[in-house]
Amino acid sequence: MISHRLGSAILLILVSFSAFAQNNRSAVASAGLDTNPCSVASPCRSFGAAIAHTNAHGEIIALDSAGYGPFSIAFGITISGAPGVHAAITATTYQTGIYITAGATDKITLRNLVLIGANAPDGVVQATGGDLYISGLLVRGFYDHGINSQHGNLTIEHSVLQDLPNYGVLIGNGGTGFARGTIVNSTIEWAGYAVMADPKTRVAIIGTTIAESAAAVSANVGNNNQGDSTVTVKSCALVHNNNALFEDGESGVSSIYLSDSLVAGNHVVATPWGGPSVIYSFGNNTVVDNDSDGTAMSPVALK
């Protein structure tokens, strides 16, 4: 027979274990509480609280429309708004919407979220990490970066980035080898540098519209030949920008390849600035109604 004291001790252990139990699937909701266990039946109120209750490689779902607050991620996870839900993250002064410091082999997915900057610098920052997959995001109003990936590989699809006066998407490389970026079927407008590939990167942009920006597509090798960068643009619309294709070669080589794309209504089509950088055309593009072609693009044969 278990004594009253021993029974109380066992109950305390079970309660403590339950309080710290982790979910493979967590949830947040407008009526949730951050003191809840963040389960679907008993959701939390913020993504930050739900992350603390979720196992690595697990997922968090926003069940209904609400603002769920900025958060940080330090391990592989999926964070999603349910279909039809307006899962908003509003960052205010000096805040980052989503800040990532994950491991080199971690995989992070952000899906169906709305990030709004209210005098805030950055929408999404990947300071460290492995693969970052972004789908169905609206990112607008951040004065420094919409999406800033400085480590690992970045994929963006079916997303909209707007009103980003400095950078729309900045892809850098804080690791070894080449960082890779892929942007597919998305829209970037009203940006400074809409897409910037920094040294030691390989970037592909497919089926994407870039409009009303200072520079639509840019490749950069930085000072002291930090490493070359290459951007391939396929089946895109680069329209009504100041510069459609811009390269900052300085002391190294950056390359932009243009294929099967519309380049229209821009102030300047091609501007390779400094160094031996080259902008290539496969000869199958529609280039029309621009103020200036700028520097002639170099032909390259289709294969």
Side-chain angles (χ1 to χ4, degrees):
M1 181 176 180
I2 299 175
S3 70
H4 175 72
R5 180 175 297 177
L6 180 57
S8 297
I10 292 172
L11 178 61
L12 178 62
I13 291 171
L14 291 174
V15 170
S16 298
F17 178 81
S18 176
F20 290 97
Q22 299 293 289
N23 309 314
N24 288 324
R25 173 178 290 170
S26 296
V28 296
S30 60
L33 297 172
D34 282 346
T35 53
N36 286 344
C38 302
S39 63
V40 173
S42 187
C44 284
R45 182 62 184 84
S46 68
F47 282 125
I51 288 169
H53 284 273
T54 307
N55 289 320
H57 315 300
E59 65 175 340
I60 301 171
I61 303 169
L63 300 178
D64 63 352
S65 296
Y68 292 102
F71 56 90
S72 297
I73 301 172
F75 55 86
I77 195 169
T78 295
I79 298 180
S80 302
V85 161
H86 183 93
I89 299 156
T90 299
T92 57
T93 305
Y94 305 125
Q95 287 184 311
T96 296
I98 302 172
Y99 191 76
I100 299 168
T101 55
T105 61
D106 285 332
K107 293 179 172 60
I108 293 169
T109 296
L110 305 174
R111 186 170 52 205
N112 193 27
L113 303 173
V114 177
L115 280 75
I116 303 297
N119 196 30
D122 301 303
V124 179
V125 174
Q126 179 167 243
T128 63
D131 294 335
L132 173 58
Y133 174 76
I134 289 172
S135 178
L137 261 63
L138 169 64
V139 182
R140 67 178 302 174
F142 294 91
Y143 64 76
D144 205 354
H145 305 88
I147 298 172
N148 180 3
S149 176
Q150 288 299 310
H151 208 286
N153 302 313
L154 171 68
T155 299
I156 301 170
E157 70 168 10
H158 300 294
S159 295
V160 176
L161 293 88
Q162 298 174 321
D163 191 18
L164 304 161
N166 199 3
Y167 293 94
V169 180
L170 177 63
I171 301 170
N173 188 357
T176 59
F178 285 92
R180 289 172 171 79
T182 306
I183 302 171
V184 183
N185 296 335
S186 296
T187 298
I188 306 170
E189 55 189 358
W190 313 322
Y193 293 96
V195 179
M196 169 66 83
D198 262 356
K200 295 168 59 180
T201 61
R202 297 288 184 264
V203 178
I205 309 171
I206 305 130
T208 291
T209 297
I210 304 177
E212 302 288 351
S213 298
V217 177
S218 305
N220 175 35
V221 296
N223 295 319
N224 302 317
N225 194 16
Q226 294 169 288
D228 65 329
S229 58
T230 300
V231 183
T232 302
V233 181
K234 167 72 173 174
S235 301
C236 292
L238 311 180
V239 294
H240 310 307
N241 303 285
N242 189 45
N243 289 277
L245 306 167
F246 183 83
E247 290 183 313
D248 186 357
E250 296 194 23
S251 58
V253 177
S254 58
S255 303
I256 297 175
Y257 291 86
L258 185 68
S259 178
D260 194 24
S261 293
L262 170 66
V263 184
N266 302 282
H267 178 55
V268 181
V269 173
T271 307
W273 186 80
S277 299
V278 182
I279 298 174
Y280 296 96
S281 170
F282 284 94
N284 57 351
N285 301 290
T286 301
V287 181
V288 63
D289 195 30
N290 301 284
D291 295 335
S292 170
D293 287 341
T295 302
M297 291 184 279
S298 298
V300 60
L302 291 169
K303 295 184 179 179

